[in-house]
Amino acid sequence: MTAPSSSVTKTTVHQVTNAPGTPTSSPSPVHDVPAHPPEPANPAYPSYPEAAKPAAPAQKPAEAAAQPKKPSNTSSSSPINHSGSHWAMTYSPYTPSGDCKSSSDVATDVAAIAAKGFSSLRLYSTDCNGLSAAATAAQSHNINLILGVYISNSGISVARPQIAEIVTWANNNGHWKGVEMIVVGNEAVFNNFASAEELASFVSEAGSAFRSAGYDGPVTLTETVDTLAKHADVLCPASDIAAANIHPFFNGKVTASGAGEFVASQLELLAQTCPGKEVYNLETGWPSKGSANGVAVPGNWEQRAAVEGIRKMAGGKSAFFSFVDDEWKEEGEWGVERSWGCSQLFD
């Protein structure tokens, strides 16, 4: 995706995950990017039936039998470093008003992330020159990159040019050094931006293009755990690793103090959903402001308790959301959309 600073695409992330031992379904908007035109502050979210812990993925239905095989899973030249208590931080290069940050501002942000001990930086797309600016800064601070190909409500055809942008960037660099993972789509199936079959095919297409250009690391997608469980037979084979966005707040039955246990249990469920795959949590956190969602209460103390719990139980495989509050967003359901900035908790 390439977008001018005044017009950048948007996604709304929903988390439909299960409290430990208590499968439930609950919608959750989380990650956005500046939108044009803007989406309503309180969109209607689909609800899903309760999801039991899956056994081995079911046999593919006949209509999905023609799905392309996943790219060969090869070892990365930049192995995923998920040791410690905080592996990655999510980052979007937008100002509080939703414009693109300057390269110098991006460099300052990446330096701050590096100083807090993160080994990786997750980008959602190629817009705002974020790939070039963030990559340059990340390399200077020895931070790995989790690159993203963003799929919006415009669909896969509009997302496809990002593949070429990433390949061009790598060719200009002369290498894929520091690229730890590439994520194609961010809850595209859950948001009905693509079907499971369309997304699986696009992941295969993107993976082939990246490998032809010399990349040998994992290519994956990320959805909610429930979405992956519903489409495990299609989505799991398409990914080199299993990745999900896991947000305890949106479950509604998880307190801030139980966030770490919740995330750990969801990673276990993810491992059962996609057997034999390494599992990663590509988006997680807790809001500092807003209204309660059941027993999930936003607040500064609650955010600190939740983040500390996640760090203790699953921080080495989690990307924390997000670097700073996103003031350009609509407040959204429960009034929490702007209030996920958590980098201050890692000082």
Side-chain angles (χ1 to χ4, degrees):
M1 167 183 61
T2 302
S5 60
S6 62
S7 176
V8 185
T9 53
K10 171 181 179 179
T11 185
T12 301
V13 166
H14 306 69
Q15 185 61 31
V16 185
T17 49
N18 309 317
T22 310
T24 61
S25 294
S26 56
S28 65
V30 183
H31 172 71
D32 295 334
V33 293
H36 180 73
E39 293 185 1
N42 294 296
Y45 303 118
S47 60
Y48 290 97
E50 294 186 355
K53 282 193 175 184
Q59 184 177 358
K60 284 188 178 182
E63 62 269 23
Q67 285 301 305
K69 294 181 179 179
K70 75 175 185 71
S72 59
N73 189 2
T74 59
S75 60
S76 171
S77 57
S78 300
I80 296 174
N81 177 15
H82 53 77
S83 60
S85 66
H86 50 293
W87 165 48
M89 174 64 76
T90 69
Y91 182 74
S92 297
Y94 312 123
T95 67
S97 63
D99 294 326
C100 296
K101 286 188 174 183
S102 67
S103 294
S104 61
D105 286 342
V106 171
T108 298
D109 291 345
V110 174
I113 292 169
K116 294 175 184 296
F118 288 92
S119 63
S120 301
L121 183 74
R122 183 187 174 194
L123 303 175
Y124 289 89
S125 68
T126 60
D127 64 339
C128 279
N129 199 34
L131 175 56
S132 177
T136 299
Q139 289 172 359
S140 67
H141 292 284
N142 198 31
I143 294 182
N144 291 324
L145 292 168
I146 302 168
L147 303 184
V149 175
Y150 177 70
I151 300 171
S152 71
N153 57 5
S154 297
I156 285 173
S157 62
V158 176
R160 187 167 280 112
Q162 295 171 76
I163 298 174
E165 289 181 44
I166 292 174
V167 169
T168 298
W169 166 81
N171 288 338
N172 290 340
N173 271 353
H175 54 67
W176 292 88
K177 181 180 178 181
V179 178
E180 190 169 51
M181 182 188 305
I182 303 178
V183 184
V184 180
N186 190 68
E187 300 195 357
V189 174
F190 188 89
N191 284 305
N192 295 314
F193 296 162
S195 69
E197 291 75 17
E198 289 170 339
L199 180 59
S201 179
F202 189 46
V203 171
S204 179
E205 174 188 338
S208 295
F210 296 141
R211 297 187 199 289
S212 294
Y215 175 67
D216 64 356
V219 178
T220 190
L221 55 90
T222 187
E223 293 283 342
T224 65
V225 176
D226 280 4
T227 300
L228 286 166
K230 286 169 65 69
H231 303 284
D233 58 330
V234 175
L235 297 180
C236 291
S239 303
D240 292 324
I241 60 172
N245 295 343
I246 304 174
H247 284 282
F249 176 82
F250 292 106
N251 177 270
K253 296 184 179 181
V254 179
T255 64
S257 61
E261 180 183 355
F262 176 86
V263 169
S265 72
Q266 290 294 291
L267 284 171
E268 291 177 1
L269 180 56
L270 180 59
Q272 295 176 29
T273 299
C274 299
K277 306 277 188 181
E278 280 285 326
V279 296
Y280 293 90
N281 174 16
L282 290 185
E283 196 178 278
T284 195
W286 196 274
S288 60
K289 298 176 184 177
S291 302
N293 173 28
V295 301
V297 179
N300 290 325
W301 181 91
E302 289 81 4
Q303 184 186 52
R304 180 175 293 277
V307 168
E308 287 180 353
I310 296 169
R311 290 179 68 179
K312 179 179 178 181
M313 300 293 293
K317 286 198 168 187
S318 293
F320 288 87
F321 181 85
S322 59
F323 174 56
V324 294
D325 285 348
D326 296 317
E327 297 295 339
W328 45 266
K329 292 182 181 179
E330 299 290 342
E331 291 186 346
E333 192 169 8
W334 299 293
V336 299
E337 287 300 311
R338 299 175 179 174
S339 305
W340 293 80
C342 63
S343 60
Q344 75 281 1
L345 302 177
F346 295 88
D347 290 335

